[in-house]
Amino acid sequence: MNISIITVGKLKEKYLKLGIEEYTKRLSSYSKIEIIEVPDEKAPEILSDAEMLQVKKKEGERILAKVPADAHVIALAIEGKQKSSEELADTIDKLGTYGKSKVTFIIGGSLGLSDEVLRRADDKLSFSKMTFPHQLMRLILVEQVYRAFRIMRGEPYHK
């Protein structure tokens, strides 16, 4: 299986980089994993609704340009379905079983994802009703994908 994570913006915090490197290294024995960064749109701190839509649209165009046509797309969105680790493992396992060997997760920027990206998504996944920094979500997502592969293989994992 090929897992891609498309994310907006550069990762700056060293502690997050180290965590992501650790989990991508662990994941490499189960799956090919690639993290693709697209530039975030520079914008002032306070935006009108129209300006927010414009920023999300531009970031969305950059994201969609990186999505393979044959990928099963899972967008991280607060309005998405919440799943347990076991349910995520089951989802990934079923995708592989039914010939979807390319799975692309999408993490939006600080304003979220554009409507165009959400329409392209085959599934929407929410980790919580809470808001997390998109940079931190990379680490959380990579850890959960690693955990999913451990669960699928019947290997021990911490509950």
Side-chain angles (χ1 to χ4, degrees):
M1 180 159 291
N2 295 302
I3 304 283
S4 298
I5 299 172
I6 301 174
T7 182
V8 175
K10 287 250 182 255
L11 191 60
K12 298 172 185 88
E13 293 83 359
K14 187 174 181 178
Y15 71 97
L16 292 174
K17 284 183 182 180
L18 290 172
I20 291 166
E21 285 171 11
E22 177 63 28
Y23 282 108
T24 54
K25 183 173 75 177
R26 291 181 189 188
L27 252 172
S28 67
S29 61
Y30 300 100
S31 169
K32 183 179 178 224
I33 182 152
E34 177 183 25
I35 298 178
I36 303 162
E37 293 178 336
V38 299
D40 55 346
E41 187 64 22
K42 303 298 177 219
E45 191 69 30
I46 299 171
L47 299 168
S48 69
D49 288 347
E51 289 169 322
M52 279 193 247
L53 284 173
Q54 191 61 29
V55 167
K56 290 197 297 187
K57 183 174 171 46
K58 286 181 181 176
E59 289 176 348
E61 289 167 356
R62 292 178 190 137
I63 290 167
L64 292 172
K66 301 291 184 183
V67 175
D70 57 346
H72 183 89
V73 176
I74 301 173
L76 273 60
I78 203 161
E79 68 274 10
K81 184 176 187 320
Q82 291 185 18
K83 295 184 178 199
S84 68
S85 296
E86 292 83 2
E87 288 170 328
L88 180 61
D90 187 55
T91 297
I92 293 171
D93 192 34
K94 283 180 179 167
L95 288 170
T97 300
Y98 295 107
K100 291 287 189 179
S101 62
K102 290 183 184 173
V103 178
T104 299
F105 290 91
I106 298 176
I107 302 172
S110 58
L111 298 176
L113 293 167
S114 69
D115 289 340
E116 293 81 8
V117 171
L118 292 171
R119 278 194 296 276
R120 171 59 183 91
D122 297 294
D123 292 308
K124 294 175 194 74
L125 176 64
S126 173
F127 277 81
S128 172
K129 290 182 181 180
M130 290 187 250
T131 302
F132 294 102
H134 61 282
Q135 310 264 351
L136 179 59
M137 277 313 303
R138 285 193 213 188
L139 177 57
I140 295 169
L141 176 61
V142 171
E143 188 280 334
Q144 284 298 302
V145 171
Y146 168 71
R147 184 179 298 262
F149 277 95
R150 301 272 303 179
I151 292 168
M152 290 183 321
R153 299 270 173 94
E155 296 172 358
Y157 67 97
H158 297 290
K159 292 184 178 191

